[in-house]
Structures are given as C-alpha cells and as structure tokens.
Amino acid sequence: AGPGGNGGEDTVMTPVAGADGEANQLAEELAALPAYERELKVLAERAPHIPLRLTAEERTLLSILEGALEISEYTDNVDVSSNPFGWRSMFYSAGTSRKEHTIKRELDEFFTYVHGLYMCSNFHKGKRTIRNRSFEDNAVFLRRVFEIGRRYKIMNPSKMRNTYGKLMHILMDCAEQTAVDYNVIGPILTIRHLVRSGGAEAMLADPLTVAAGAQSERGLSRARARELLVQKYATETFPPASVLRVVDSVADSESYIRFNREPVDRIIGYLTDYFPEHLDEEQHDALHNLTIRYGRGGSKLDHSHTRHYRFVLQSLVLWREIQHEMYYLWTMADNDLLDPASAYRLCNTGQGLNRLQIAPRVSRAMSSILGRVKRRLGDWVGLSVVHLGDRDVPNALVFIDKYTQVPRILAPIVQVVEQLQDIYDQHPDIARWIDEAYRGVDNARRVILRDFFRHGFNGSGDDGGSCIDGRLTSAWNWCSLLEKKVYKHLFMLAGFEGFDGSFKR
C-alpha cells in the first residue's frame, strides 16, 4: 500500500498451535537491538494517534459520505453574510432567517443525502436502517460514517480536498448542539482502541510489531513476522484479521511519515551540501552566497549569508519535525475544531469569510515542537510566533492544511534536482544547452536551490515575514512565481506539472 494505506484486503492467517515459543524467542532477540528499543518507544507515543486502516465495509460508507458531500451546498448556504465583515447580527442573510434555522435545515438535508445514498448502495440494509426511524434514532450510524471520513482524511491528506472542509464545518455546527440535540461525533478509531478492545495491549510493546513493518531484520521477513504475531495474539475476542489490521495500520503510518518527511530531509541535505554556513574568500560569488536584502526581489527581510543559512535550516528542520508529528497534530486539530466549548464566529479575514476559532491543543503541540527545535539548533533567527485563531490562520483546519502542503512544495524541487543528471546523460542536445546556459549540471542545481533558499524564505507573501507561518507563506509565494524564473525550462524537462497536487477524490 502507498502512504495512505490504500492497498487491498489482506489474507487472514490462522494461528498455529505451539508457535508461541519461536515468537517469544525472536521478540527477545529483537528487543536487545538498540534500534528496536527506539522504535518501540516511538510506537508507544504514536499509538493513540495512528488511525486504523479502513475495512471494505468502511470504504463503502466512505464513498457514500463523499457522494453526499459532493452534492451538498451546506457551506454555500450557511457560511454567508449580508455584512461584508462577517456574520454578527442576530438575523442571517438580510434578516429573512435565523442562523440556527438555516443550519438545521441544511443538516437535515445533508443527513437525508447520506441515508438516501446508503439505501442505494444496499437496499435491504438501508431499509432496515431508515424505515420508521428518525435521524436521532440513527445517530450511531451517522457517527460511524462521519468518523470514517475524518479517519480516512488523516491517513490520506491528498484525498477529499474538495469535501473535507465541508465535512468539518458540518460537524462544527453539530458539536454546538444548537441545531441538533443528539451526538453525531465520535472519537477517531486508532490502533490503541482496537488492541484495548481485544485485550492485546502487549502487541504494541512487541518488537515483532515493528519488524512486521520493516523490510527484513536478522533474516526475519515481514511475512514471517506477521505470521508470528497472529500466532501469538489472535484469540476469539481479537481475531487474526484484527491482528493484521493493527500491523497494517502501523506500516501505513511509517510509510506516511517517511513519504512526507523524505522531501524535507533531501532539501536539508542540499542546503548543507551545496552551501556552506560560513563563506570563505573564494565563495562570495552568486552561486554560493545566500544574502538577501530588504526590498530586492520582493524580499521583506534583510539577512547576511550566515544568518539566512541558519534561518532556512531552522525553518526546514521545524517543517521536518512537524511532518514527523503530523498524526498527533491532526488529532489535536480534530479535537479543537469539534470542541463544543470553542465556538467559532464567521468573519472576514481579508481572504474571504472564514470561521475564526481558537485552537489551544494545536497551539500547545506546536509550542512543544518549536521548543524542541530551538533547543537542538539554538540561536533562533526571526520570530517564533505561531499564528492560530487570527486573520492569518483562522482555525485548526487552515493550520493543518498549510502544513500538509510542505511535501507538495518540496517534492517537485527534489524531483527536478535529482533527475537533471539522468536528463543530461540521456539527451546530448539538452546536455549541450545545460553546459552553455549553466556550465554543467551541478551549477544548474545550485541555481535552482539558491533561488529557492533565498526567495522561498524572504518573508514575501500576503502574511509573510519571519514568523513561523510566514516562512511557509513565502515558500508558496515562490511557487506561484516559478513560471517567471529563468530556469523554469529545467522543471519542464523533468516532468514538472505543479505544486498543488491532485484534487481528484
């Protein structure tokens, strides 16, 4: 499966009697390895936040939810205002309808869509679910459907890009329980929920669980580790399918983090390999110097080479740590958005109407991550302000969406830099052009990287600057100007299509 765990169903293994001895012996051998001790510690920390891989039945319910969200016009009808500065009056949309009545009407319509599509997908089950039953009677069903959508999005940030925001806005209104007096919001199911329900908590402290997600270790294949885990933990209350679901969910999480973190690691490597922190007398040229001046090239900052090198490195290391903790941040963002004690207000942030809502859990998590990076790198350059619940980052949904963009920004740059040598070797005509225009592949790479490090971190953009969020805004601003760069043809030769990814379901 890919980083989101979209693989097919796994073959269920049957426990084999008398195999516990081998499993325990291997677990003891693996536990003695320092790498496994570290991995088990990480797994214990992540377990409350690693979402469970969807089953076949859950994927059917997900398609129903996505279909209902596609046709719903909930946000078009609810998040509107006759006041250009936001909804502030008691009455809604020119005073013809109270906001609560509008929300209730739209929620009833959306719930009807969900039930109708469920009936279409399975007539007999749908009939039993819907017949002579109200939405309140089916609150458990709705809670399950909405939890599946939230869980799937966490595992696959590139999916539901047109519909997830609408889903969370619907659930934010449900959380306040002014329009509905029944609960349709449940906790996101994680591997900890599953092992606790089956009495198999020890599985999360077993080195075999880590080995089942690795390629091989001490001659132990992933397939063999999976077999041993089934033999060791499968019971009547925790069947083999549940054991494998935990293993697959852990493997999905490792793949997800590696997929999102690797582009950041590569870019950090390029920074340290191609640009020294301190310039010597022979390196004060245009290919090595990262100096930026206020007002030049759109820069809002004024940094010497060494200062800007540290500013870029600190920003990238912070992004890496955020990607490493993304599951945790998703969980905190979900909790903040759906906290009934944190009401939102609709207001104009300068980028249209947005729901302004505090996000204390995400704020505390970011403060912890930022503090860890500061202690590691020291001498922090720029501001360390994290915008949350203001006009720059109105709510936790906008925050989490900003930082899922990091791999989309960096991965295409990595792709171009890495493919230039192959293009050069395979196409003599292109090689001659690169030699004439850039004096070789190495200099072509340096031109791209230097421009990105200088102008992708220069404080430009609508809400740019040296603050934590302004750094990411500057990088997005650089992306929007790529077509004006002299090296844009190098991106085209490497198959570049865009930074924004796909909006397909």
Side-chain angles (χ1 to χ4, degrees), residues 45-329:
E45 294 173 351
R46 288 184 187 162
H49 314 295
I50 296 177
L52 281 173
R53 177 185 278 197
L54 268 61
T55 63
E57 181 187 2
E58 288 176 335
R59 289 193 174 102
T60 299
L61 294 176
L62 173 67
S63 66
I64 291 169
L65 175 62
E66 288 189 295
L69 290 168
E70 288 283 356
I71 60 177
S72 172
E73 297 180 350
Y74 185 87
T75 49
D76 295 337
N77 296 327
V78 171
D79 288 348
V80 295
S81 175
S82 58
N83 183 334
F85 298 103
W87 185 85
R88 297 178 185 277
S89 62
M90 178 179 293
F91 294 96
Y92 206 54
S93 185
T96 57
S97 173
R98 291 176 62 89
K99 181 181 180 182
E100 291 79 7
H101 295 164
T102 304
I103 291 175
K104 187 176 188 332
R105 184 185 69 242
E106 294 298 323
L107 286 176
D108 287 345
E109 184 176 276
F110 178 69
F111 294 165
T112 301
Y113 291 156
V114 173
H115 283 79
L117 290 173
Y118 183 59
M119 173 76 83
C120 294
S121 69
N122 190 317
F123 179 77
H124 295 292
K125 281 188 177 180
K127 184 178 179 180
R128 288 196 299 270
T129 301
I130 296 171
R131 191 174 185 180
N132 298 325
R133 292 173 65 89
S134 65
F135 294 143
E136 183 174 2
D137 295 331
N138 286 332
V140 173
F141 167 74
L142 291 170
R143 193 154 57 236
R144 185 185 182 205
V145 172
F146 298 150
E147 183 276 331
I148 289 170
R150 290 152 57 211
R151 175 157 40 107
Y152 178 76
K153 177 63 177 180
I154 294 175
M155 294 189 294
N156 300 272
S158 62
K159 303 296 184 181
M160 295 181 69
R161 295 181 68 185
N162 287 326
T163 55
Y164 177 73
K166 189 185 300 183
L167 171 63
M168 296 310 293
H169 282 197
I170 289 171
L171 295 181
M172 286 170 72
D173 290 333
C174 291
E176 293 187 10
Q177 294 190 340
T178 55
V180 293
D181 55 2
Y182 47 92
N183 183 24
V184 295
I185 301 171
I188 292 174
L189 297 183
T190 65
I191 60 173
R192 173 172 285 184
H193 286 101
L194 187 57
V195 296
R196 280 184 173 176
S197 66
E201 293 94 332
M203 185 177 173
L204 298 182
D206 195 323
L208 288 173
T209 304
V210 175
Q215 293 301 320
S216 64
E217 187 65 53
R218 296 171 66 90
L220 181 66
S221 67
R222 289 183 61 181
R224 184 56 182 157
R226 290 161 63 90
E227 291 176 6
L228 292 172
L229 284 169
V230 169
Q231 294 162 7
K232 188 174 181 179
Y233 291 105
T235 63
E236 290 185 1
T237 58
F238 196 63
S242 295
V243 176
L244 295 180
R245 193 179 182 194
V246 171
V247 172
D248 290 334
S249 299
V250 172
D252 290 345
S253 72
E254 292 296 325
S255 179
Y256 170 91
I257 292 172
R258 185 168 57 251
F259 179 83
N260 288 285
R261 196 177 58 197
E262 186 173 0
V264 192
D265 288 332
R266 296 285 183 87
I267 290 291
I268 292 173
Y270 296 147
L271 175 65
T272 57
D273 291 344
Y274 281 88
F275 303 93
E277 182 176 356
H278 303 282
L279 296 176
D280 58 33
E281 293 182 359
E282 298 179 354
Q283 293 175 325
H284 285 274
D285 55 69
L287 287 177
H288 294 86
N289 200 332
L290 297 178
T291 301
I292 59 173
R293 295 302 176 200
Y294 184 88
R296 295 184 183 179
S299 176
K300 300 291 182 65
L301 304 175
D302 197 295
H303 287 166
S304 66
H305 168 83
T306 299
R307 183 173 177 81
H308 194 63
Y309 176 95
R310 292 173 179 169
F311 180 75
V312 175
L313 179 61
Q314 290 170 356
S315 303
L316 292 171
V317 172
L318 177 62
W319 291 358
R320 182 191 186 278
E321 292 303 307
I322 290 173
Q323 297 306 310
H324 187 75
E325 301 288 350
M326 191 55 80
Y327 274 149
Y328 175 58
L329 289 170

Side-chain angles (χ1 to χ4, degrees), residues 281-486:
E281 293 182 359
E282 298 179 354
Q283 293 175 325
H284 285 274
D285 55 69
L287 287 177
H288 294 86
N289 200 332
L290 297 178
T291 301
I292 59 173
R293 295 302 176 200
Y294 184 88
R296 295 184 183 179
S299 176
K300 300 291 182 65
L301 304 175
D302 197 295
H303 287 166
S304 66
H305 168 83
T306 299
R307 183 173 177 81
H308 194 63
Y309 176 95
R310 292 173 179 169
F311 180 75
V312 175
L313 179 61
Q314 290 170 356
S315 303
L316 292 171
V317 172
L318 177 62
W319 291 358
R320 182 191 186 278
E321 292 303 307
I322 290 173
Q323 297 306 310
H324 187 75
E325 301 288 350
M326 191 55 80
Y327 274 149
Y328 175 58
L329 289 170
W330 268 108
T331 304
M332 296 300 101
D334 187 86
N335 291 340
D336 279 335
L337 287 166
L338 304 182
D339 186 352
S342 299
Y344 71 87
R345 61 187 180 94
L346 191 67
C347 64
N348 193 330
T349 62
Q351 302 177 41
L353 293 174
N354 284 276
R355 296 189 175 194
L356 204 66
Q357 182 193 45
I358 61 172
R361 297 172 182 84
V362 174
S363 181
R364 286 193 294 269
M366 276 298 294
S367 295
S368 175
I369 294 171
L370 181 59
R372 190 164 67 233
V373 174
K374 281 184 173 182
R375 288 190 295 273
R376 184 190 309 172
L377 299 179
D379 297 327
W380 190 257
V381 179
L383 300 175
S384 55
V385 176
V386 179
H387 288 284
L388 269 171
D390 57 17
R391 67 171 295 275
D392 294 325
V393 185
N395 52 56
L397 177 60
V398 175
F399 168 86
I400 205 72
D401 182 66
K402 282 174 72 82
Y403 285 97
T404 58
Q405 312 299 324
V406 170
R408 298 192 191 114
I409 295 173
L410 301 184
I413 301 173
V414 172
Q415 175 184 333
V416 172
V417 170
E418 292 189 346
Q419 289 188 7
L420 277 180
Q421 188 63 55
D422 291 338
I423 294 171
Y424 183 92
D425 294 338
Q426 296 171 12
H427 304 279
D429 292 338
I430 295 177
R432 283 193 296 272
W433 171 71
I434 291 177
D435 286 336
E436 292 173 2
Y438 300 98
R439 292 180 299 168
V441 171
D442 203 52
N443 279 346
R445 288 171 170 168
R446 198 182 297 274
V447 167
I448 295 171
L449 292 170
R450 178 176 180 267
D451 187 73
F452 173 65
F453 292 143
R454 292 179 71 235
H455 298 296
F457 297 86
N458 64 0
S460 60
D462 177 62
D463 60 340
S466 65
C467 66
I468 301 304
D469 304 286
R471 303 169 193 231
L472 189 52
T473 301
S474 299
W476 258 126
N477 191 59
W478 177 88
C479 294
S480 69
L481 299 174
L482 180 64
E483 62 179 13
K484 299 180 180 179
K485 305 293 184 180
V486 295

